[in-house]
Amino acid sequence: MASANILKQKARLSNSNILFLIAAVIFVLMYLFAIISYPASFMQFQTFFDLFNLNAPLLIMTLGLCIVMIGGGIDISIGSVCGLITMACAVYLQSESGSIGGAILIALGIGIAFGILQGYLIAYLEIQPFIITLSGLFLAQGLLTTLHKDPINVTMPAFVRLRDFEFVITWLGTRNRLGVFIPCEIKPGTVLVVILLVILASLMKWSRFGRNVYAVGGNMHSALMLGVNVKRTIFITYVISGLTAGIAGFVYIMTTGAGNVGNAAGAEMKAIASAIIGGTLLNGGVGNLLGAPIGTLTLLVINELIRAAGVQSNFQAMVSGLLLYFFIVLQSIIMSLRDRKSIKLTLPPWLKLSDKQQVPSNQ
């Protein structure tokens, strides 16, 4: 009997995996609904790959943000940092001394610099993450407009070749109305998303650092008592977030080919929503990095469905907000059930019946 209980405990899925599976099932059902509703568009393999090709920067930022959120923090500066990097790279690439290698170093340097600054202030000076990253958001926006206010199209030949480069899958594709086979094309940014996903997911799953992040996010005081270097762990999560923002910035300019003050505007909110939909809790301690792309793709499929239906674009934000409400409530219910807590609907005082109005119980 005791051995059966042990096996049952081992077979019980973790909270992170449960929320990830729920997010994955919802995404699959939603994509199947899209295929059934608009087969001409969603039945094409290229449509699915374009979700990655056109949104690789958002996917990369979400990966870094998930690590911060699992550790119990938040980073709302990543969108502005990404936009600053796109402009800095554009200015540099259009200069006489510009080079692709130099632009990559600039992107990584700016991202890591923001990560180190914010990570130090949050981890070692123990300042609230929201306030620090909000300051980082304003700083990045100010630097962006100071650096250059007008759009810059990068015309450097080597960069244009890199921007237009695509991996062609010759054996996978669709036929057009004339019967011509069109192979699928994948951008370098999509390949980079897959590489980063494998590296960071492995880091969080099997490394000591990953276990420390979950421990700190779950209960910081307990982690401290277990010998975890809490401050260093939190610091590294923000450095990783800055690093992914730097990579996302270079991928962004590779995707658009231009620097603009509006680049990546609002991307931090989309990344937070994607992380939550993918199964990462705002409280910390629970999350699966494999859920980050699932959450992002769920939001993107919703937007594509609304666009295909010909509905006004303002409904995209409305539906995304409602979906976010749904996932937050769903996560709360699931966590309560798994912790064997009773779920109660709490009403405000003015909706409750007074003692005189309550119906007396039967004697």
Side-chain angles (χ1 to χ4, degrees):
M1 189 69 179
S3 61
N5 290 334
I6 294 174
L7 290 175
K8 185 177 180 180
Q9 289 177 359
K10 288 184 177 180
R12 190 172 185 260
L13 288 174
S14 66
N15 292 332
S16 299
N17 290 335
I18 282 289
L19 295 178
F20 163 70
L21 288 175
I22 292 173
V25 169
I26 291 176
F27 167 71
V28 171
L29 293 176
M30 189 171 296
Y31 202 83
L32 287 175
F33 174 76
I35 291 175
I36 295 172
S37 301
Y38 304 98
S41 176
F42 287 93
M43 277 290 288
Q44 299 181 13
F45 292 107
Q46 189 61 53
T47 300
F48 180 75
F49 287 130
D50 282 343
L51 293 175
F52 289 87
N53 291 336
L54 301 177
N55 300 280
L58 178 59
L59 288 161
I60 294 171
M61 281 187 282
T62 306
L63 289 174
L65 180 63
C66 274
I67 295 177
V68 171
M69 290 175 64
I70 291 172
I74 194 70
D75 189 350
I76 62 172
S77 68
I78 51 176
S80 297
V81 172
C82 178
L84 169 63
I85 290 169
T86 62
M87 184 63 80
C89 289
V91 172
Y92 174 73
L93 289 169
Q94 281 298 94
S95 66
E96 296 180 357
S97 59
S99 66
I100 294 176
I104 293 174
L105 292 177
I106 288 174
L108 297 179
I110 294 175
I112 293 175
F114 270 87
I116 291 174
L117 173 63
Q118 296 179 153
Y120 176 79
L121 294 174
I122 293 167
Y124 291 98
L125 299 187
E126 299 181 358
I127 305 176
Q128 286 294 327
F130 181 83
I131 300 299
I132 292 299
T133 55
L134 179 64
S135 302
L137 181 150
F138 289 137
L139 175 60
Q141 288 179 346
L143 291 173
L144 170 59
T145 54
T146 302
L147 188 61
H148 207 282
K149 294 182 179 179
D150 301 322
I152 301 177
N153 291 318
V154 181
T155 57
M156 180 184 177
F159 177 80
V160 172
R161 288 194 297 270
L162 177 63
R163 182 197 64 193
D164 296 337
F165 178 78
E166 294 173 334
F167 296 97
V168 179
I169 307 177
T170 56
W171 50 270
L172 184 65
T174 55
R175 295 187 179 275
N176 60 16
R177 295 179 179 178
L178 300 178
V180 179
F181 180 78
I182 303 176
C184 290
E185 298 172 339
I186 298 177
K187 292 283 188 180
T190 300
V191 178
L192 196 55
V193 168
V194 176
I195 293 173
L196 286 173
L197 178 61
V198 172
I199 293 174
L200 295 178
S202 301
L203 180 70
M204 294 296 292
K205 179 69 175 179
W206 290 295
S207 73
R208 182 178 179 181
F209 166 76
R211 292 190 293 271
N212 289 346
V213 173
Y214 280 101
V216 171
N219 192 314
M220 187 181 300
H221 298 292
S222 298
L224 190 61
M225 294 177 64
L226 291 172
V228 176
N229 192 327
V230 173
K231 292 184 178 181
R232 185 177 64 186
T233 301
I234 295 175
F235 174 75
I236 295 175
T237 61
Y238 282 94
V239 173
I240 293 176
S241 180
L243 174 63
T244 53
I247 297 173
F250 187 78
V251 173
Y252 199 109
I253 194 172
M254 263 204 319
T255 304
T256 61
N260 194 306
V261 293
N263 283 354
E268 61 279 346
M269 295 305 165
K270 295 178 181 178
I272 293 172
S274 299
I276 293 173
I277 292 173
T280 303
L281 291 184
L282 279 171
N283 296 336
V286 176
N288 190 324
L289 250 65
L290 297 178
I294 295 295
T296 307
L297 292 175
T298 301
L299 283 179
L300 295 174
V301 169
I302 290 174
N303 293 339
E304 291 299 322
L305 276 171
I306 293 174
R307 189 177 294 111
V311 183
Q312 295 179 0
S313 59
N314 58 336
F315 280 92
Q316 295 179 8
M318 293 170 59
V319 175
S320 298
L322 292 173
L323 184 68
L324 194 57
Y325 275 127
F326 169 75
F327 270 92
I328 291 173
V329 173
L330 180 64
Q331 289 175 0
S332 178
I333 293 173
I334 291 172
M335 296 297 290
S336 297
L337 290 175
R338 285 177 66 82
D339 293 338
R340 304 187 186 282
K341 296 178 182 177
S342 60
I343 302 175
K344 298 179 180 180
L345 180 62
T346 304
L347 297 175
W350 55 273
L351 279 180
K352 294 180 180 178
L353 294 174
S354 62
D355 294 338
K356 296 180 179 180
Q357 292 174 316
Q358 291 179 358
V359 179
S361 58
N362 296 328
Q363 299 294 333

